[in-house]
Amino acid sequence: DSSSGNSASHYRHVLASGLVGFGKEVKGLADSIMAASLLTSPLRYPPKVLSVESNAVSFPLSFQQAKHYAAPAGRVVLIGDAAHTIHPQAGQGLNLGLLDVESLTEVLMESLNAGEDIGSYSTLKRYEEDRYWKNLGMMTGVDVINTLFKTNGEGPLSRRLEFVRSFGMLGINGLSMAKEMIAKFAVGSPKI
């Protein structure tokens, strides 16, 4: 209902207004989003849940990364948990996802400003090249830390890992520069 100011066309106008200066292709994105969602009333509530049809399930926390973040045919990229999964230790999964978004945004803006096709494989591949190895480095580091901290068993290997863990933590704790470098790396700072 357009008299209330909550109509789909009102939101389409607000979204399109926020995209001024980004080119005709991106301005059309607002219309595409609204049409694809078949939005008749943007403030509609979801249907009420009447029952749960299955039991709760769980899955193991794992270290996984997609082989590629950008589809060779273009137009599709994976970001965040769709591109990589990591043990939730220290909240690094969220940080990696946010850094993916930041990188993809920068790549798309550079491409748009250069008049390139923002959905082309060559454009989206630049995002993959920027994030793939950085993500893998952080994921590997978290996985190593997780492995060191979950080892508390018996035997010579467990005792060695406990020694390495304790020695490493004492060393890092005693070196403020090392702690600062680790913190900067964890938040994706380009200068370590």
Side-chain angles (χ1 to χ4, degrees), residues 28-157:
L29 181 63
D31 290 326
S32 299
I33 291 170
M34 297 305 283
S37 69
L38 302 174
L39 191 58
T40 56
S41 172
L43 301 177
R44 218 174 28 189
Y45 290 100
K48 184 177 179 180
V49 176
L50 301 176
S51 66
V52 177
E53 297 294 326
S54 65
N55 295 326
V57 297
S58 65
F59 56 93
L61 301 172
S62 61
F63 172 104
Q64 294 180 346
Q65 180 162 241
K67 192 173 186 178
H68 299 284
Y69 290 2
R75 308 273 178 247
V76 176
V77 291
L78 301 176
I79 63 171
D81 288 346
H84 42 76
T85 60
I86 185 173
H87 190 281
Q89 189 170 12
Q92 289 306 305
L94 174 62
N95 287 350
L96 293 178
L98 293 173
L99 292 168
D100 287 353
V101 170
E102 179 181 52
S103 174
L104 181 59
T105 302
E106 288 173 9
V107 165
L108 293 177
M109 291 304 299
E110 289 169 5
S111 179
L112 194 61
N113 289 335
E116 300 169 348
D117 177 1
I118 63 171
S120 72
Y121 178 64
S122 61
T123 294
L124 301 177
K125 182 74 174 162
R126 293 195 311 255
Y127 149 72
E128 179 179 313
E129 290 168 350
D130 178 50
R131 293 301 308 153
Y132 191 89
W133 294 107
K134 291 175 183 175
N135 286 342
L136 185 60
M138 176 58 74
M139 292 166 60
T140 301
V142 169
D143 193 56
V144 166
I145 291 169
N146 181 51
T147 300
L148 286 174
F149 277 90
K150 75 178 183 183
T151 304
N152 282 324
E154 296 294 321
L157 182 59

